[in-house]
Amino acid sequence: MSSKKYWLLLSLAACVSPVYADVLVILPESGPMARAGESIKRGFISAYNASASKEKIIFVDSAKNSIDQIFKTKVNQKTQLIVGPLLRAEIERVIQFNPKIPVLALNDVNDYAVNVWQFSLAKQQDAKALNRVLKNDGIKKLWVLRQKGIEASTELYMMALIAEFGVGVEFTEQLPPKLARKQGGLLLGDHQWVVELGKLPKKNIYATPLSIEQNQSIPLGLSFCDVPALYNGQWADIMEAYKKQPENMAFQRLLAFGGDAWTISQNFLEHSSPKSFSFAGRTGQIEMSTGKITRQPACYQQQENGIVILK
């Protein structure tokens, strides 16, 4: 083969070779948020590997680089998608830039920009899901029992639930052993606290994911809404990430969150402009439309034969 033909074939091959995008992922990899950032990163990488994608993933530590520095030195013509950041103040700064390329922010804030999509594990979404269960159960009066000392950790959830449920929410120091018709009891506390409450009503009793611990007993009749990947074993990438480095349930949720972040990222990468779509995700039913991403967690109930998903 002549050298002229060789270079012609080489040029043709280059023309048909796929051009892969750069995906810039901004997460805290050091400092106080490092463990959360690492869990999200592991879930993201595991889902990316399972997808057999060839896109180039570039990680940058937001704890060591300001958002201004990252956009100045890391974003270039090859960057087709930014995933992150995680902290709200950083997302607000990104929104101020009004970026020209899509950004999948990993938290939610009150500000908006056309190209900044917000995806989160917001407690408000958990509260909306539980409110649907309360309505299905015909609950009109909800007694709320809170663990003392950790009220701040459930405040957003409580406010969101009150906004959804409306009147009929009342705080109590002790639940009765049996609830009246159309009454429910909501437990806001960790698993050990729930155990120490002793005997509980077996119907119309509810909790948040805070009360659920892996391989620990759940009170009979307790209903709760949570990340489905922790219960159905459907997501092999999450199971693989967990096997490599076991985590408690709080960080398992972040593994699932990272995995869903990659699935959403694929939609951005496959379309020149983001398309409306939905999928049964690791963290719940995900819907993307009209500039928003919403998540609906799955809801479960502990029955005698085990945990059952609620329709």
Side-chain angles (χ1 to χ4, degrees):
M1 182 185 294
S2 68
S3 60
K4 186 176 180 181
K5 276 189 174 182
Y6 173 80
W7 288 112
L8 178 61
L9 288 172
L10 195 64
S11 299
L12 288 172
C15 290
V16 299
S17 296
V19 177
Y20 297 114
D22 282 3
V23 179
L24 184 66
V25 183
I26 306 170
L27 285 170
E29 297 186 34
S30 57
M33 294 296 292
R35 190 177 177 190
E38 179 62 22
S39 295
I40 296 170
K41 179 179 179 179
R42 288 176 54 229
F44 189 91
I45 291 174
S46 187
Y48 165 79
N49 289 336
S51 72
S53 176
K54 302 297 183 183
E55 312 299 348
K56 184 179 179 182
I57 311 297
I58 302 168
F59 289 94
V60 59
D61 184 359
S62 59
K64 292 183 177 178
N65 302 271
S66 70
I67 295 300
D68 292 61
Q69 289 174 322
I70 292 169
F71 270 71
K72 185 177 181 180
T73 63
K74 301 294 183 181
V75 179
N76 54 48
Q77 291 182 341
K78 292 183 179 180
T79 310
Q80 292 192 22
L81 175 66
I82 297 171
V83 179
L86 180 61
L87 300 184
R88 288 189 172 95
E90 294 173 343
I91 295 171
E92 289 168 352
R93 182 58 179 153
V94 170
I95 288 172
Q96 290 175 5
F97 292 152
N98 195 24
K100 302 303 180 185
I101 60 174
V103 176
L104 177 60
L106 299 179
N107 212 326
D108 56 342
V109 298
N110 292 326
D111 294 330
Y112 296 92
V114 172
N115 265 336
V116 181
W117 301 68
Q118 300 174 30
F119 175 52
S120 74
L121 290 179
K123 293 176 181 174
Q124 293 91 327
Q125 297 162 347
D126 293 336
K128 283 185 177 182
L130 185 64
N131 186 62
R132 284 187 283 269
V133 176
L134 295 172
K135 285 188 175 181
N136 288 339
D137 290 346
I139 302 301
K140 302 297 183 184
K141 175 82 171 183
L142 186 64
W143 296 100
V144 179
L145 184 60
R146 303 178 82 176
Q147 181 179 356
K148 296 186 184 302
I150 66 166
E151 291 89 350
S153 65
T154 57
E155 189 65 24
L156 281 177
Y157 184 99
M158 193 65 249
M159 291 172 62
L161 187 65
I162 290 173
E164 292 288 325
F165 188 81
V167 296
V169 176
E170 190 168 331
F171 293 91
T172 182
E173 294 294 324
Q174 186 175 0
L175 288 178
K178 187 176 181 180
L179 293 164
R181 186 171 174 269
K182 295 188 178 181
Q183 289 189 351
L186 175 61
L187 308 177
L188 294 181
D190 61 30
H191 176 266
Q192 186 59 38
W193 172 78
V194 171
V195 170
E196 292 171 356
L197 290 175
K199 188 175 181 180
L200 293 168
K202 293 184 179 180
K203 286 188 66 176
N204 298 340
I205 195 77
Y206 310 91
T208 73
L210 181 64
S211 301
I212 312 302
E213 281 294 341
Q214 192 168 20
N215 301 322
Q216 299 294 325
S217 61
I218 299 173
L220 187 64
L222 186 74
S223 299
F224 60 95
C225 302
D226 202 354
V227 169
L230 276 61
Y231 303 93
N232 62 16
Q234 174 185 347
W235 299 98
D237 54 297
I238 297 302
M239 295 174 68
E240 183 64 25
Y242 176 79
K243 286 178 183 177
K244 288 181 179 177
Q245 184 179 327
E247 300 273 19
N248 65 32
M249 292 190 78
F251 290 99
Q252 287 179 52
R253 293 181 184 101
L254 293 179
L255 288 177
F257 179 60
D260 278 351
W262 167 249
T263 302
I264 296 169
S265 297
Q266 284 184 290
N267 185 63
F268 284 104
L269 295 168
E270 290 169 2
H271 302 95
S272 56
S273 59
K275 302 289 184 180
S276 297
F277 82 121
S278 65
F279 66 100
R282 302 158 185 81
T283 61
Q285 184 66 29
I286 310 296
E287 292 192 9
M288 177 176 169
S289 63
T290 61
K292 294 182 180 180
I293 299 174
T294 60
R295 179 184 66 92
Q296 181 177 323
C299 297
Y300 303 90
Q301 186 179 83
Q302 178 66 45
Q303 299 181 1
E304 289 185 355
N305 60 342
I307 296 176
V308 176
I309 190 166
L310 298 173
K311 300 300 184 182

PDB file of all heavy atoms in Angstrom, residues 79-108:
ATOM      1  N   THR A  79     -16.282  20.153  26.864  1.00  0.00           N
ATOM      2  CA  THR A  79     -17.234  19.888  27.942  1.00  0.00           C
ATOM      3  C   THR A  79     -18.658  20.027  27.418  1.00  0.00           C
ATOM      4  O   THR A  79     -19.073  21.109  27.001  1.00  0.00           O
ATOM      5  CB  THR A  79     -17.031  20.870  29.114  1.00  0.00           C
ATOM      6  OG1 THR A  79     -15.646  20.898  29.492  1.00  0.00           O
ATOM      7  CG2 THR A  79     -17.878  20.456  30.307  1.00  0.00           C
ATOM      8  N   GLN A  80     -19.406  18.933  27.453  1.00  0.00           N
ATOM      9  CA  GLN A  80     -20.785  18.966  26.970  1.00  0.00           C
ATOM     10  C   GLN A  80     -21.806  18.873  28.098  1.00  0.00           C
ATOM     11  O   GLN A  80     -22.988  19.101  27.887  1.00  0.00           O
ATOM     12  CB  GLN A  80     -21.025  17.837  25.958  1.00  0.00           C
ATOM     13  CG  GLN A  80     -20.259  18.034  24.665  1.00  0.00           C
ATOM     14  CD  GLN A  80     -20.717  17.078  23.574  1.00  0.00           C
ATOM     15  OE1 GLN A  80     -21.826  16.557  23.613  1.00  0.00           O
ATOM     16  NE2 GLN A  80     -19.852  16.842  22.604  1.00  0.00           N
ATOM     17  N   LEU A  81     -21.347  18.524  29.294  1.00  0.00           N
ATOM     18  CA  LEU A  81     -22.256  18.400  30.434  1.00  0.00           C
ATOM     19  C   LEU A  81     -21.477  18.606  31.724  1.00  0.00           C
ATOM     20  O   LEU A  81     -20.345  18.134  31.847  1.00  0.00           O
ATOM     21  CB  LEU A  81     -22.925  17.019  30.446  1.00  0.00           C
ATOM     22  CG  LEU A  81     -23.817  16.698  31.652  1.00  0.00           C
ATOM     23  CD1 LEU A  81     -25.056  17.594  31.666  1.00  0.00           C
ATOM     24  CD2 LEU A  81     -24.228  15.233  31.641  1.00  0.00           C
ATOM     25  N   ILE A  82     -22.095  19.302  32.665  1.00  0.00           N
ATOM     26  CA  ILE A  82     -21.539  19.450  34.013  1.00  0.00           C
ATOM     27  C   ILE A  82     -22.505  18.787  34.980  1.00  0.00           C
ATOM     28  O   ILE A  82     -23.714  19.038  34.940  1.00  0.00           O
ATOM     29  CB  ILE A  82     -21.344  20.930  34.389  1.00  0.00           C
ATOM     30  CG1 ILE A  82     -20.335  21.588  33.450  1.00  0.00           C
ATOM     31  CG2 ILE A  82     -20.897  21.063  35.857  1.00  0.00           C
ATOM     32  CD1 ILE A  82     -20.238  23.095  33.612  1.00  0.00           C
ATOM     33  N   VAL A  83     -21.982  17.916  35.835  1.00  0.00           N
ATOM     34  CA  VAL A  83     -22.781  17.275  36.884  1.00  0.00           C
ATOM     35  C   VAL A  83     -22.293  17.800  38.226  1.00  0.00           C
ATOM     36  O   VAL A  83     -21.104  17.743  38.525  1.00  0.00           O
ATOM     37  CB  VAL A  83     -22.656  15.739  36.837  1.00  0.00           C
ATOM     38  CG1 VAL A  83     -23.488  15.101  37.947  1.00  0.00           C
ATOM     39  CG2 VAL A  83     -23.105  15.217  35.475  1.00  0.00           C
ATOM     40  N   GLY A  84     -23.214  18.317  39.039  1.00  0.00           N
ATOM     41  CA  GLY A  84     -22.830  18.970  40.266  1.00  0.00           C
ATOM     42  C   GLY A  84     -22.953  20.485  40.071  1.00  0.00           C
ATOM     43  O   GLY A  84     -23.386  20.946  39.010  1.00  0.00           O
ATOM     44  N   PRO A  85     -22.578  21.246  41.078  1.00  0.00           N
ATOM     45  CA  PRO A  85     -22.048  20.823  42.378  1.00  0.00           C
ATOM     46  C   PRO A  85     -23.139  20.319  43.313  1.00  0.00           C
ATOM     47  O   PRO A  85     -24.297  20.200  42.922  1.00  0.00           O
ATOM     48  CB  PRO A  85     -21.392  22.109  42.908  1.00  0.00           C
ATOM     49  CG  PRO A  85     -22.207  23.208  42.270  1.00  0.00           C
ATOM     50  CD  PRO A  85     -22.598  22.710  40.909  1.00  0.00           C
ATOM     51  N   LEU A  86     -22.717  20.074  44.575  1.00  0.00           N
ATOM     52  CA  LEU A  86     -23.604  19.509  45.581  1.00  0.00           C
ATOM     53  C   LEU A  86     -24.134  20.558  46.556  1.00  0.00           C
ATOM     54  O   LEU A  86     -25.302  20.518  46.946  1.00  0.00           O
ATOM     55  CB  LEU A  86     -22.867  18.400  46.342  1.00  0.00           C
ATOM     56  CG  LEU A  86     -23.606  17.666  47.456  1.00  0.00           C
ATOM     57  CD1 LEU A  86     -24.846  16.952  46.915  1.00  0.00           C
ATOM     58  CD2 LEU A  86     -22.674  16.655  48.140  1.00  0.00           C
ATOM     59  N   LEU A  87     -23.287  21.481  46.959  1.00  0.00           N
ATOM     60  CA  LEU A  87     -23.682  22.465  47.961  1.00  0.00           C
ATOM     61  C   LEU A  87     -24.561  23.555  47.347  1.00  0.00           C
ATOM     62  O   LEU A  87     -24.320  24.020  46.228  1.00  0.00           O
ATOM     63  CB  LEU A  87     -22.442  23.095  48.598  1.00  0.00           C
ATOM     64  CG  LEU A  87     -21.492  22.119  49.324  1.00  0.00           C
ATOM     65  CD1 LEU A  87     -20.364  22.886  49.981  1.00  0.00           C
ATOM     66  CD2 LEU A  87     -22.247  21.285  50.350  1.00  0.00           C
ATOM     67  N   ARG A  88     -25.563  23.992  48.099  1.00  0.00           N
ATOM     68  CA  ARG A  88     -26.521  24.966  47.579  1.00  0.00           C
ATOM     69  C   ARG A  88     -25.863  26.292  47.193  1.00  0.00           C
ATOM     70  O   ARG A  88     -26.203  26.880  46.175  1.00  0.00           O
ATOM     71  CB  ARG A  88     -27.632  25.201  48.609  1.00  0.00           C
ATOM     72  CG  ARG A  88     -28.588  24.017  48.747  1.00  0.00           C
ATOM     73  CD  ARG A  88     -29.793  24.387  49.600  1.00  0.00           C
ATOM     74  NE  ARG A  88     -30.799  23.333  49.571  1.00  0.00           N
ATOM     75  CZ  ARG A  88     -30.892  22.374  50.480  1.00  0.00           C
ATOM     76  NH1 ARG A  88     -30.034  22.325  51.487  1.00  0.00           N
ATOM     77  NH2 ARG A  88     -31.830  21.453  50.385  1.00  0.00           N
ATOM     78  N   ALA A  89     -24.939  26.764  48.017  1.00  0.00           N
ATOM     79  CA  ALA A  89     -24.283  28.046  47.710  1.00  0.00           C
ATOM     80  C   ALA A  89     -23.517  27.954  46.391  1.00  0.00           C
ATOM     81  O   ALA A  89     -23.473  28.927  45.614  1.00  0.00           O
ATOM     82  CB  ALA A  89     -23.336  28.432  48.846  1.00  0.00           C
ATOM     83  N   GLU A  90     -22.948  26.791  46.119  1.00  0.00           N
ATOM     84  CA  GLU A  90     -22.207  26.598  44.862  1.00  0.00           C
ATOM     85  C   GLU A  90     -23.164  26.542  43.673  1.00  0.00           C
ATOM     86  O   GLU A  90     -22.854  27.059  42.600  1.00  0.00           O
ATOM     87  CB  GLU A  90     -21.374  25.323  44.951  1.00  0.00           C
ATOM     88  CG  GLU A  90     -20.267  25.396  45.990  1.00  0.00           C
ATOM     89  CD  GLU A  90     -19.547  24.082  46.207  1.00  0.00           C
ATOM     90  OE1 GLU A  90     -20.085  23.033  45.807  1.00  0.00           O
ATOM     91  OE2 GLU A  90     -18.451  24.109  46.792  1.00  0.00           O
ATOM     92  N   ILE A  91     -24.320  25.926  43.856  1.00  0.00           N
ATOM     93  CA  ILE A  91     -25.314  25.869  42.777  1.00  0.00           C
ATOM     94  C   ILE A  91     -25.819  27.278  42.465  1.00  0.00           C
ATOM     95  O   ILE A  91     -25.985  27.648  41.297  1.00  0.00           O
ATOM     96  CB  ILE A  91     -26.486  24.952  43.175  1.00  0.00           C
ATOM     97  CG1 ILE A  91     -25.994  23.509  43.314  1.00  0.00           C
ATOM     98  CG2 ILE A  91     -27.617  25.027  42.141  1.00  0.00           C
ATOM     99  CD1 ILE A  91     -27.015  22.559  43.902  1.00  0.00           C
ATOM    100  N   GLU A  92     -26.046  28.055  43.510  1.00  0.00           N
ATOM    101  CA  GLU A  92     -26.487  29.435  43.299  1.00  0.00           C
ATOM    102  C   GLU A  92     -25.452  30.224  42.500  1.00  0.00           C
ATOM    103  O   GLU A  92     -25.805  31.069  41.666  1.00  0.00           O
ATOM    104  CB  GLU A  92     -26.762  30.096  44.649  1.00  0.00           C
ATOM    105  CG  GLU A  92     -28.027  29.555  45.324  1.00  0.00           C
ATOM    106  CD  GLU A  92     -28.164  29.963  46.772  1.00  0.00           C
ATOM    107  OE1 GLU A  92     -27.190  30.546  47.313  1.00  0.00           O
ATOM    108  OE2 GLU A  92     -29.224  29.711  47.376  1.00  0.00           O
ATOM    109  N   ARG A  93     -24.173  29.956  42.748  1.00  0.00           N
ATOM    110  CA  ARG A  93     -23.115  30.631  41.997  1.00  0.00           C
ATOM    111  C   ARG A  93     -23.133  30.186  40.530  1.00  0.00           C
ATOM    112  O   ARG A  93     -22.982  31.016  39.614  1.00  0.00           O
ATOM    113  CB  ARG A  93     -21.748  30.316  42.626  1.00  0.00           C
ATOM    114  CG  ARG A  93     -20.568  31.012  41.947  1.00  0.00           C
ATOM    115  CD  ARG A  93     -20.717  32.506  41.958  1.00  0.00           C
ATOM    116  NE  ARG A  93     -19.596  33.191  41.339  1.00  0.00           N
ATOM    117  CZ  ARG A  93     -19.675  34.375  40.767  1.00  0.00           C
ATOM    118  NH1 ARG A  93     -20.830  35.023  40.728  1.00  0.00           N
ATOM    119  NH2 ARG A  93     -18.615  34.931  40.218  1.00  0.00           N
ATOM    120  N   VAL A  94     -23.348  28.901  40.285  1.00  0.00           N
ATOM    121  CA  VAL A  94     -23.441  28.393  38.910  1.00  0.00           C
ATOM    122  C   VAL A  94     -24.593  29.066  38.173  1.00  0.00           C
ATOM    123  O   VAL A  94     -24.463  29.466  37.007  1.00  0.00           O
ATOM    124  CB  VAL A  94     -23.629  26.852  38.910  1.00  0.00           C
ATOM    125  CG1 VAL A  94     -23.965  26.358  37.507  1.00  0.00           C
ATOM    126  CG2 VAL A  94     -22.377  26.160  39.421  1.00  0.00           C
ATOM    127  N   ILE A  95     -25.722  29.210  38.855  1.00  0.00           N
ATOM    128  CA  ILE A  95     -26.890  29.848  38.241  1.00  0.00           C
ATOM    129  C   ILE A  95     -26.564  31.279  37.819  1.00  0.00           C
ATOM    130  O   ILE A  95     -27.022  31.754  36.771  1.00  0.00           O
ATOM    131  CB  ILE A  95     -28.086  29.794  39.211  1.00  0.00           C
ATOM    132  CG1 ILE A  95     -28.615  28.359  39.302  1.00  0.00           C
ATOM    133  CG2 ILE A  95     -29.195  30.753  38.776  1.00  0.00           C
ATOM    134  CD1 ILE A  95     -29.672  28.141  40.361  1.00  0.00           C
ATOM    135  N   GLN A  96     -25.750  31.974  38.611  1.00  0.00           N
ATOM    136  CA  GLN A  96     -25.353  33.345  38.273  1.00  0.00           C
ATOM    137  C   GLN A  96     -24.561  33.401  36.969  1.00  0.00           C
ATOM    138  O   GLN A  96     -24.608  34.405  36.244  1.00  0.00           O
ATOM    139  CB  GLN A  96     -24.521  33.941  39.410  1.00  0.00           C
ATOM    140  CG  GLN A  96     -25.322  34.222  40.673  1.00  0.00           C
ATOM    141  CD  GLN A  96     -24.437  34.712  41.822  1.00  0.00           C
ATOM    142  OE1 GLN A  96     -23.233  34.924  41.658  1.00  0.00           O
ATOM    143  NE2 GLN A  96     -25.043  34.892  42.982  1.00  0.00           N
ATOM    144  N   PHE A  97     -23.854  32.305  36.650  1.00  0.00           N
ATOM    145  CA  PHE A  97     -23.073  32.255  35.407  1.00  0.00           C
ATOM    146  C   PHE A  97     -23.979  32.128  34.180  1.00  0.00           C
ATOM    147  O   PHE A  97     -23.540  32.393  33.063  1.00  0.00           O
ATOM    148  CB  PHE A  97     -22.097  31.070  35.424  1.00  0.00           C
ATOM    149  CG  PHE A  97     -20.992  31.201  36.424  1.00  0.00           C
ATOM    150  CD1 PHE A  97     -20.403  30.061  36.972  1.00  0.00           C
ATOM    151  CD2 PHE A  97     -20.512  32.432  36.822  1.00  0.00           C
ATOM    152  CE1 PHE A  97     -19.374  30.163  37.891  1.00  0.00           C
ATOM    153  CE2 PHE A  97     -19.484  32.555  37.743  1.00  0.00           C
ATOM    154  CZ  PHE A  97     -18.914  31.419  38.279  1.00  0.00           C
ATOM    155  N   ASN A  98     -25.232  31.660  34.391  1.00  0.00           N
ATOM    156  CA  ASN A  98     -26.154  31.389  33.275  1.00  0.00           C
ATOM    157  C   ASN A  98     -25.444  30.563  32.204  1.00  0.00           C
ATOM    158  O   ASN A  98     -25.301  31.003  31.045  1.00  0.00           O
ATOM    159  CB  ASN A  98     -26.665  32.703  32.683  1.00  0.00           C
ATOM    160  CG  ASN A  98     -27.878  32.496  31.789  1.00  0.00           C
ATOM    161  OD1 ASN A  98     -28.596  31.517  31.938  1.00  0.00           O
ATOM    162  ND2 ASN A  98     -28.078  33.410  30.862  1.00  0.00           N
ATOM    163  N   PRO A  99     -25.001  29.337  32.542  1.00  0.00           N
ATOM    164  CA  PRO A  99     -24.152  28.539  31.643  1.00  0.00           C
ATOM    165  C   PRO A  99     -24.842  28.198  30.323  1.00  0.00           C
ATOM    166  O   PRO A  99     -26.064  28.047  30.264  1.00  0.00           O
ATOM    167  CB  PRO A  99     -23.874  27.275  32.462  1.00  0.00           C
ATOM    168  CG  PRO A  99     -24.984  27.198  33.452  1.00  0.00           C
ATOM    169  CD  PRO A  99     -25.336  28.612  33.783  1.00  0.00           C
ATOM    170  N   LYS A 100     -24.017  28.050  29.281  1.00  0.00           N
ATOM    171  CA  LYS A 100     -24.531  27.729  27.951  1.00  0.00           C
ATOM    172  C   LYS A 100     -24.683  26.228  27.746  1.00  0.00           C
ATOM    173  O   LYS A 100     -25.404  25.799  26.841  1.00  0.00           O
ATOM    174  CB  LYS A 100     -23.594  28.299  26.883  1.00  0.00           C
ATOM    175  CG  LYS A 100     -23.387  29.810  26.978  1.00  0.00           C
ATOM    176  CD  LYS A 100     -24.705  30.564  26.901  1.00  0.00           C
ATOM    177  CE  LYS A 100     -24.483  32.079  27.006  1.00  0.00           C
ATOM    178  NZ  LYS A 100     -25.777  32.818  27.053  1.00  0.00           N
ATOM    179  N   ILE A 101     -23.988  25.425  28.531  1.00  0.00           N
ATOM    180  CA  ILE A 101     -24.109  23.974  28.421  1.00  0.00           C
ATOM    181  C   ILE A 101     -24.933  23.464  29.601  1.00  0.00           C
ATOM    182  O   ILE A 101     -24.995  24.121  30.645  1.00  0.00           O
ATOM    183  CB  ILE A 101     -22.725  23.282  28.396  1.00  0.00           C
ATOM    184  CG1 ILE A 101     -21.949  23.592  29.672  1.00  0.00           C
ATOM    185  CG2 ILE A 101     -21.944  23.689  27.160  1.00  0.00           C
ATOM    186  CD1 ILE A 101     -20.638  22.835  29.775  1.00  0.00           C
ATOM    187  N   PRO A 102     -25.586  22.311  29.466  1.00  0.00           N
ATOM    188  CA  PRO A 102     -26.431  21.798  30.548  1.00  0.00           C
ATOM    189  C   PRO A 102     -25.640  21.511  31.823  1.00  0.00           C
ATOM    190  O   PRO A 102     -24.510  21.009  31.774  1.00  0.00           O
ATOM    191  CB  PRO A 102     -27.017  20.502  29.973  1.00  0.00           C
ATOM    192  CG  PRO A 102     -26.871  20.625  28.502  1.00  0.00           C
ATOM    193  CD  PRO A 102     -25.634  21.436  28.283  1.00  0.00           C
ATOM    194  N   VAL A 103     -26.262  21.823  32.949  1.00  0.00           N
ATOM    195  CA  VAL A 103     -25.702  21.529  34.266  1.00  0.00           C
ATOM    196  C   VAL A 103     -26.741  20.725  35.042  1.00  0.00           C
ATOM    197  O   VAL A 103     -27.890  21.150  35.173  1.00  0.00           O
ATOM    198  CB  VAL A 103     -25.363  22.819  35.049  1.00  0.00           C
ATOM    199  CG1 VAL A 103     -24.884  22.476  36.463  1.00  0.00           C
ATOM    200  CG2 VAL A 103     -24.319  23.642  34.314  1.00  0.00           C
ATOM    201  N   LEU A 104     -26.337  19.553  35.526  1.00  0.00           N
ATOM    202  CA  LEU A 104     -27.200  18.746  36.380  1.00  0.00           C
ATOM    203  C   LEU A 104     -26.757  18.982  37.822  1.00  0.00           C
ATOM    204  O   LEU A 104     -25.850  18.332  38.329  1.00  0.00           O
ATOM    205  CB  LEU A 104     -27.107  17.261  36.023  1.00  0.00           C
ATOM    206  CG  LEU A 104     -27.926  16.300  36.900  1.00  0.00           C
ATOM    207  CD1 LEU A 104     -29.418  16.623  36.830  1.00  0.00           C
ATOM    208  CD2 LEU A 104     -27.661  14.852  36.514  1.00  0.00           C
ATOM    209  N   ALA A 105     -27.383  19.961  38.482  1.00  0.00           N
ATOM    210  CA  ALA A 105     -27.038  20.285  39.868  1.00  0.00           C
ATOM    211  C   ALA A 105     -27.571  19.200  40.793  1.00  0.00           C
ATOM    212  O   ALA A 105     -28.681  18.695  40.603  1.00  0.00           O
ATOM    213  CB  ALA A 105     -27.614  21.635  40.240  1.00  0.00           C
ATOM    214  N   LEU A 106     -26.783  18.851  41.814  1.00  0.00           N
ATOM    215  CA  LEU A 106     -27.140  17.734  42.686  1.00  0.00           C
ATOM    216  C   LEU A 106     -27.723  18.210  44.024  1.00  0.00           C
ATOM    217  O   LEU A 106     -27.399  17.674  45.084  1.00  0.00           O
ATOM    218  CB  LEU A 106     -25.914  16.845  42.902  1.00  0.00           C
ATOM    219  CG  LEU A 106     -25.346  16.231  41.628  1.00  0.00           C
ATOM    220  CD1 LEU A 106     -24.125  15.376  41.930  1.00  0.00           C
ATOM    221  CD2 LEU A 106     -26.402  15.424  40.871  1.00  0.00           C
ATOM    222  N   ASN A 107     -28.552  19.199  43.957  1.00  0.00           N
ATOM    223  CA  ASN A 107     -29.300  19.693  45.110  1.00  0.00           C
ATOM    224  C   ASN A 107     -30.337  20.659  44.559  1.00  0.00           C
ATOM    225  O   ASN A 107     -30.352  20.944  43.351  1.00  0.00           O
ATOM    226  CB  ASN A 107     -28.380  20.377  46.129  1.00  0.00           C
ATOM    227  CG  ASN A 107     -28.863  20.205  47.554  1.00  0.00           C
ATOM    228  OD1 ASN A 107     -30.064  20.164  47.824  1.00  0.00           O
ATOM    229  ND2 ASN A 107     -27.934  20.103  48.492  1.00  0.00           N
ATOM    230  N   ASP A 108     -31.205  21.162  45.407  1.00  0.00           N
ATOM    231  CA  ASP A 108     -32.201  22.109  44.912  1.00  0.00           C
ATOM    232  C   ASP A 108     -32.080  23.439  45.644  1.00  0.00           C
ATOM    233  O   ASP A 108     -31.787  23.482  46.832  1.00  0.00           O
ATOM    234  CB  ASP A 108     -33.619  21.551  45.033  1.00  0.00           C
ATOM    235  CG  ASP A 108     -33.958  21.128  46.460  1.00  0.00           C
ATOM    236  OD1 ASP A 108     -33.026  20.939  47.261  1.00  0.00           O
ATOM    237  OD2 ASP A 108     -35.155  20.992  46.771  1.00  0.00           O
TER     238      ASP A 108
END
